[in-house]
Amino acid sequence: MGATAKIQVNMNQVSKDRINPYIFGHFVEDIRDHMDAMLAYPLSDMDFESNDVTYRGLSGSWRPFTNGKSTVFALEPAATYHSGHSQLVRISSDDEAYAGIRQAISVKKDQQGYALSLYARASVEIKFLQADIVDVATGEVLGSTRIEIESHNWRNYESRIGVSRLCEEAEFRLYVPAEHERWRDHVSTGMLWLDHIALLPSDSIGNVRKEVVDMTLALNAGMMRLAGNYISAYHWQQAIGSVNERPCVINEAWGGWTNKYFGTDEFIQFCHDLQVEPLICVNDGSGTPEEAAEWVEYCNGGSDTPMGKLRAANGHTEPYGVKYWEIGNEVWGPWQVGHCTAEQFADRYVRFAQAMKVVDPEIKLLACGDDKQDWNRILLERAAAHMDYVTLHLYHGYNRFGMNDRTPKEERYKAILSYPEWTRESIRQARELINSDSRYTHLKVAITEYNTMYYPNTIRKGLPNEHTLEAAAANAANLNEFIRNSDLIEIGSFSDLVNGWLGGCIRVGDFYADQFRGKSAGRSENSLTVYGSPTYYVMKMYANRDLSYVVHSHTDSCSFSVNSLVPTAPKLTDLPNLDVVACCNADGNKLTIFMVNRSLEDTETEVHLDYFVTSGTARLFALTGEHADAINDVHHPEAVVINELDVPVVNARAICELKASSVYALEVTR
């Protein structure tokens, strides 16, 4: 062991404020590959809305599948009542060929069969289509189905395609086969129109990957937030009702299309499947108070209200009962739709809050705050009476130290592991403001986005540092600070849940989206592998402990200091190597001590339990790796996971060997 430390727990000092399980919440946003990774659809561009950049007449990811010399492809008006384009395939009978479209996909073994749905119409002589899933490397047909075309008019067709085995390099093909009876060519023959082609594996939960749901269930998240920059130009009524009749809308924040397949109803179902509380952020950028109020009514109104009636017509009779609503996402930022001054936002916030409360007076409202208190001071002065929470977004990166990738690595490491010190200062300032006026003291704080942020957002090369054990240790220490301030902080949302921007504590595939705009092109050859980053295991470790109250503790350990060129930095000298917080459960028979070793050396730690127990065995949950840069990937998805071991308790004392840059929870039961 390179160092020693001592932790003293004081069971006589237990906080009276309960730790809210919502502080272990998560966050979904339609950003880059977040939705694409979370949802179970293997096909992309299912509605034929992308431009025909690669192949003239073919939309987006679709490619021609034909051996006919005269086959014609074109984008044409969509199915009746549907917006955008449909795909035309015109086939010459004289070619005596097969003709249709194909797309590269990855599939897993599915004996019950992928559900295939599509809209189609055809000239009367085309009687059937063939749908195949094929291994492109070997030509092996992994599954197929025949679809009888029953009408010259648009109709919805459904079938299933059983898949015999997993295949990362597969291809979906939909076509008129060469064996089809030929016809005599004239002006109205050989035409096939397609729209809304979707595949879903039989084990998908709603339209979400089963693996994602299972891993998220294990997180015991407490709360799930639907928000982000895209929300400030998002109009919720465009993503309800039949998915095929929802318009395809540009994602104004991040480029590409807004994912119309995950709207309000799907989000609420996702939350119900996970048994978590939903938190919805409304569009205050391009939206109106009336639109926000209608969203509340859609979720919470009875079926006798206009929006409740619409919800019922969409198949959801009972109100959703969404209690938590956020108004404004980073409105203080010039990148945000609806960016304005604090005065303008405060006035706008009040209008939204009043309209939403008329619909449901019982909802809890979160107002967009800033870690710069000038904004919050104006917001609270004008609008505190209309809010329950003020929000903060806390991203911790090199920029606040004046560091970059040329700074010595150990200095950068120490900077990232100082995350809780910055959080502490932000919370101190927010607390000071809230306590400055009796009109504000009812307010709580919600940290609705947080994560490590190593480099400026436009750079992403190689494996992102946000997925390392180092980042997990920083996020764990930050969670400790949330817990220490549980009298004030009631909500947290880790950014993001799946892939997406900085984090994505759940990873799908081995392709990392660029940290710029839109969804980067590229294809993973391990796209079906779903695994957790080290921070996933931190969140799982913390949220699944039996926590109710903070217990006072004192830590003696070696220390470190961080150099920041930023004059507003908090005190960053003599920071303890161990970041520790102790908690007990409501019954008082379980003590949990979270310990983050923020140093780059192993530390033998003596934990004094204040006679909570004098002897026996404690359980130690350990998240460790070979080094601070250890990372999980598709080839080694469990390189960094939680290990459990027994630790003897002798004379009310436990000795824990804490590895460098690692996270621990010592659980003691009496």
Side-chain angles (χ1 to χ4, degrees):
M1 281 289 145
T4 60
K6 185 170 86 170
I7 299 169
Q8 177 66 58
V9 175
N10 188 345
M11 295 305 302
N12 291 323
Q13 294 185 42
V14 179
S15 72
K16 67 181 188 310
D17 299 290
R18 190 137 190 172
I19 298 168
N20 195 317
Y22 296 164
I23 66 172
F24 306 117
H26 287 266
F27 169 38
V28 295
E29 176 180 8
D30 193 353
I31 178 173
R32 301 182 178 92
D33 63 341
H34 187 297
M35 295 293 185
D36 291 345
M38 185 174 78
L39 301 184
Y41 301 105
L43 289 168
S44 59
D45 195 28
M46 297 182 285
D47 305 293
F48 302 98
E49 298 307 333
S50 298
N51 293 326
D52 55 351
V53 174
T54 306
Y55 287 90
R56 181 166 180 165
L58 279 163
S59 176
S61 303
W62 294 100
R63 301 291 180 263
F65 182 65
T66 183
N67 62 347
K69 293 184 290 185
S70 305
T71 305
V72 174
F73 300 91
L75 296 178
E76 298 222 340
T80 310
Y81 306 118
H82 301 187
S83 64
H85 304 130
S86 67
Q87 180 68 61
L88 169 68
V89 182
R90 184 156 195 183
I91 307 159
S92 171
S93 183
D94 287 345
D95 282 348
E96 297 186 356
Y98 60 83
I101 56 176
R102 61 188 172 90
Q103 187 179 136
I105 60 172
S106 298
V107 290
K108 57 188 179 182
K109 182 177 180 179
D110 192 337
Q111 293 180 327
Q112 293 186 40
Y114 276 69
L116 169 64
S117 65
L118 65 141
Y119 270 70
R121 64 180 291 255
S123 49
V124 294
E125 63 282 345
I126 294 180
K127 304 298 184 184
F128 67 90
L129 303 177
Q130 182 78 16
D132 297 337
I133 296 175
V134 178
D135 183 332
V136 293
T138 66
E140 177 189 357
V141 177
L142 305 175
S144 64
T145 187
R146 175 168 157 151
I147 299 163
E148 304 294 333
I149 301 299
E150 299 172 351
S151 175
H152 183 241
N153 295 318
W154 283 110
R155 292 193 57 173
N156 185 47
Y157 296 92
E158 296 182 350
S159 186
R160 284 198 174 270
I161 305 179
V163 177
S164 59
R165 62 174 173 81
L166 181 147
C167 184
E168 285 282 358
E169 297 184 60
E171 190 171 81
F172 171 76
R173 299 169 179 173
L174 183 65
Y175 60 102
V176 177
E179 296 76 27
H180 192 289
E181 181 182 350
R182 293 293 106 181
W183 56 87
R184 185 172 179 178
D185 279 315
H186 58 79
V187 71
S188 62
T189 59
M191 289 185 282
L192 168 68
W193 290 267
L194 301 166
D195 208 349
H196 308 304
I197 303 176
L199 281 172
L200 270 177
S202 61
D203 67 352
S204 63
I205 299 176
N207 59 0
V208 180
R209 294 178 191 265
K210 180 182 185 298
E211 298 87 348
V212 167
V213 172
D214 289 346
M215 289 193 69
T216 309
L217 272 168
L219 284 171
N220 193 27
M223 177 173 276
M224 191 66 62
R225 175 179 183 252
L226 180 70
N229 287 351
Y230 92 106
I231 281 287
S232 293
Y234 176 81
H235 299 281
W236 65 272
Q237 288 206 42
Q238 295 174 337
I240 59 171
S242 168
V243 292
N244 291 336
E245 295 185 26
R246 299 175 188 178
C248 291
V249 179
I250 291 292
N251 186 330
E252 295 180 40
W254 302 114
W257 299 105
T258 295
N259 195 305
K260 72 176 192 177
Y261 289 84
F262 195 76
T264 302
D265 300 310
E266 289 79 16
F267 171 68
I268 297 299
Q269 185 60 53
F270 185 53
C271 291
H272 287 175
D273 291 336
L274 298 173
Q275 301 172 41
V276 299
E277 189 79 23
L279 164 61
I280 294 177
C281 185
V282 300
N283 175 3
D284 79 312
S286 63
T288 64
E290 293 73 24
E291 181 182 24
E294 287 180 339
W295 202 354
V296 174
E297 186 175 276
Y298 183 84
C299 290
N300 297 353
S303 55
D304 56 342
T305 64
M307 293 299 105
K309 183 177 180 181
L310 179 59
R311 183 195 64 245
N314 289 334
H316 309 281
T317 306
E318 295 300 315
Y320 292 143
V322 178
K323 184 177 180 180
Y324 294 87
W325 295 82
E326 189 174 1
I327 301 173
N329 181 85
E330 298 182 0
V331 187
W332 32 262
W335 54 85
Q336 190 74 35
V337 173
H339 168 60
C340 60
T341 66
E343 291 85 356
Q344 290 169 328
F345 174 68
D347 294 345
R348 188 163 81 201
Y349 173 88
V350 170
R351 293 196 299 273
F352 272 75
Q354 289 174 331
M356 294 164 71
K357 283 274 193 175
V358 166
V359 174
D360 186 348
E362 301 303 313
I363 60 176
K364 298 289 186 181
L365 294 179
L366 291 72
C368 172
D370 190 6
D371 62 356
K372 299 174 183 61
Q373 296 306 315
D374 290 346
W375 172 279
N376 296 341
R377 193 168 289 106
I378 294 168
L379 174 62
L380 267 58
E381 174 65 32
R382 293 181 176 227
H386 299 274
M387 66 180 73
D388 300 287
Y389 295 84
V390 61
T391 71
L392 300 178
H393 289 182
L394 302 177
Y395 288 107
H396 187 63
Y398 298 147
N399 57 319
R400 59 186 7 168
F401 300 91
M403 293 180 179
N404 55 39
D405 56 356
R406 294 183 297 278
T407 305
K409 185 172 182 177
E410 186 170 340
E411 292 302 309
R412 286 183 282 140
Y413 172 86
K414 290 189 294 185
I416 291 297
L417 269 294
S418 71
Y419 195 172
E421 319 306 324
W422 294 82
T423 297
R424 183 177 301 119
E425 179 60 16
S426 294
I427 296 305
R428 185 196 66 77
Q429 292 177 10
R431 185 187 295 276
E432 186 177 86
L433 175 60
I434 288 170
N435 290 337
S436 69
D437 193 310
S438 60
R439 295 175 299 159
Y440 309 156
T441 53
H442 66 286
L443 292 175
K444 299 294 184 180
V445 170
I447 315 293
T448 51
E449 292 184 32
Y450 69 94
N451 201 346
T452 54
M453 187 171 73
Y454 281 74
Y455 292 107
N457 299 349
T458 53
I459 299 174
R460 168 63 62 83
K461 294 181 180 178
L463 292 174
N465 293 337
E466 285 84 8
H467 297 279
T468 60
L469 178 59
E470 173 188 307
N475 281 314
N478 189 59
L479 277 176
N480 286 352
E481 193 61 28
F482 288 4
I483 293 171
R484 283 189 284 265
N485 288 276
S486 55
D487 64 315
L488 185 63
I489 302 175
E490 291 190 347
I491 292 172
S493 301
F494 178 78
S495 173
D496 299 310
L497 178 65
V498 182
N499 288 22
W501 186 44
L502 289 168
C505 70
I506 296 173
R507 296 296 309 168
V508 177
D510 62 359
F511 180 72
Y512 291 84
D514 192 306
Q515 242 188 14
F516 192 55
R517 301 181 62 141
K519 298 168 183 174
S520 298
R523 180 167 177 231
S524 162
E525 299 308 332
N526 296 90
S527 63
L528 299 178
T529 303
V530 183
Y531 61 96
S533 71
T535 294
Y536 169 85
Y537 291 101
V538 164
M539 302 299 293
K540 182 179 178 182
M541 178 192 291
Y542 276 66
N544 284 286
R545 306 278 69 77
D546 189 2
L547 312 177
S548 295
Y549 304 102
V550 175
V551 177
H552 181 266
S553 63
H554 176 76
T555 303
D556 288 317
S557 71
C558 296
S559 61
F560 67 99
S561 299
V562 185
N563 219 1
S564 175
L565 303 178
V566 179
T568 56
K571 177 182 175 294
L572 296 173
T573 57
D574 298 322
L575 307 180
N577 282 354
L578 300 189
D579 190 296
V580 177
V581 66
C583 312
C584 67
N585 65 350
D587 294 332
N589 60 2
K590 185 174 289 185
L591 174 67
T592 302
I593 304 165
F594 294 109
M595 302 171 287
V596 181
N597 186 356
R598 299 194 284 179
S599 74
L600 287 169
E601 59 180 347
D602 298 349
T603 303
E604 183 180 272
T605 304
E606 193 176 281
V607 184
H608 292 256
L609 300 172
D610 196 23
Y611 293 93
F612 179 78
V613 297
T614 57
S615 62
T617 302
R619 196 70 173 158
L620 186 66
F621 300 85
L623 185 70
T624 67
E626 293 183 1
H627 46 74
D629 292 331
I631 191 169
N632 294 334
D633 60 32
V634 291
H635 304 293
H636 309 95
E638 297 185 345
V640 181
V641 296
I642 298 170
N643 292 304
E644 300 179 30
L645 59 150
D646 290 332
V647 175
V649 177
V650 179
N651 295 328
R653 191 178 62 169
I655 305 296
C656 300
E657 312 290 351
L658 307 185
K659 293 186 67 175
S661 187
S662 295
V663 183
Y664 297 84
L666 180 67
E667 197 169 77
V668 188
T669 304
R670 66 181 180 189

